[in-house]
């Protein structure tokens, strides 16, 4: 769904992408299945808005910002973008199309933009710290290394993602 030509004549890639968008936006069953799939990756928040840690071994006190924060946003945005027939491939640009089309309640697309920016900034800061410590940079963050500001705003960002995943279930209902 994020197909793009990268070399030579890109006409076939554009035509295939256009064909996929046309088929996807009219297939409610497909959109429903895609929405269910998009809700498989959940933000790392527990019942009382506590971070749910999912690392192993040395990383046992961490959660993955990419797979538990950025990817769920990209996945749910992709569903809405396909339903609209948006030709954008960038998540931020797709969110602009979604906002313009009024697919989400007022302000929710903007909330997702801000959530994505917050998660991305914490991820970059964490990777910078890892590089400076001579470590291989990754997407795993130990919440104990975050400031109270970062923790609070990450919780808010993850909460926004959770609410939009719930909205996805409502917007694209299906069996199973």
């Amino acid at each position: 769904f994020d197909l793009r030509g990268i070399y030579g004549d890109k006409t076939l890639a554009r035509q295939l992408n256009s064909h996929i968008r046309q088929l996807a936006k009219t297939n409610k069953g497909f959109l429903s299945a895609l929405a269910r799939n998009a809700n498989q990756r959940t933000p790392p928040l527990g019942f009382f808005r506590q971070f749910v840690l999912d690392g192993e071994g040395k990383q046992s006190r961490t959660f993955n910002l990419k797979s538990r924060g950025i990817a769920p946003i990209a996945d749910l945005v992709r569903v809405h973008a396909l339903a609209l027939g948006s030709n954008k491939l960038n998540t931020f640009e797709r969110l602009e199309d979604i906002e313009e089309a009024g697919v989400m309640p007022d302000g929710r697309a903007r909330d997702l933009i801000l959530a994505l920016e917050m998660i991305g900034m914490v991820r970059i800061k964490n990777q910078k710290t890892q590089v400076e410590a001579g470590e291989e940079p990754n997407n795993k963050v130990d919440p104990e290394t975050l400031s109270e500001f970062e923790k609070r705003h990450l919780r808010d960002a993850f909460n926004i993602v959770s609410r939009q995943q719930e909205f996805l279930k409502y917007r694209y209902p299906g069996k199973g």
Side-chain angles (χ1 to χ4, degrees):
F1 311 113
D2 298 335
L3 174 76
R4 70 182 95 198
I6 58 169
Y7 180 77
D9 183 3
K10 299 172 188 87
T11 305
L12 288 176
R14 281 192 300 273
Q15 288 173 346
L16 179 57
N17 189 283
S18 177
H19 180 69
I20 290 169
R21 281 194 322 274
Q22 290 303 314
L23 289 175
K25 80 182 207 179
T26 60
N27 190 322
K28 292 185 188 316
F30 172 75
L31 292 171
S32 176
L34 200 60
R36 279 194 313 278
N37 187 58
N39 281 332
Q40 295 297 311
R41 291 195 259 204
T42 58
L45 279 185
F47 190 69
F48 294 108
R49 286 178 39 107
Q50 296 299 317
F51 292 120
V52 175
L53 306 178
D54 56 12
E56 295 178 12
K58 189 176 160 186
Q59 302 283 329
S60 67
R61 303 272 318 139
T62 66
F63 56 84
N64 190 309
L65 288 168
K66 185 174 181 183
S67 67
R68 303 285 306 271
I70 294 170
I73 294 172
D75 290 346
L76 72 91
V77 167
R78 183 179 299 111
V79 176
H80 291 307
L82 283 169
L84 291 173
S86 171
N87 64 352
K88 303 298 188 327
L89 300 177
N90 174 283
T91 300
F92 289 108
E93 291 174 355
R94 285 175 169 171
L95 277 163
E96 289 171 5
D97 283 356
I98 291 164
E99 185 173 43
E100 188 176 300
V103 170
M104 295 178 173
D106 281 349
R108 299 299 186 240
R110 184 75 191 136
D111 286 349
L112 275 173
I113 289 170
L114 296 172
L116 185 56
E117 288 174 347
M118 180 65 198
I119 296 166
M121 289 306 297
V122 171
R123 178 179 173 222
I124 290 168
K125 178 183 171 261
N126 186 61
Q127 289 176 343
K128 176 186 175 281
T129 301
Q130 291 169 331
V131 168
E132 288 171 348
E135 299 171 8
E136 185 74 26
N138 60 49
N139 298 303
K140 296 175 181 170
V141 65
D142 179 347
E144 295 303 314
T145 65
L146 302 174
S147 71
E148 287 305 311
F149 176 87
E150 290 167 324
K151 288 178 191 177
R152 184 174 59 250
H153 289 290
L154 266 183
R155 282 186 186 104
D156 290 342
F158 292 144
N159 196 41
I160 288 167
V161 177
S162 291
R163 285 194 319 263
Q164 289 311 307
Q165 286 181 320
E166 286 300 314
F167 179 72
L168 205 62
K169 290 178 195 174
Y170 163 77
R171 179 105 177 150
Y172 308 99
K175 296 178 180 135

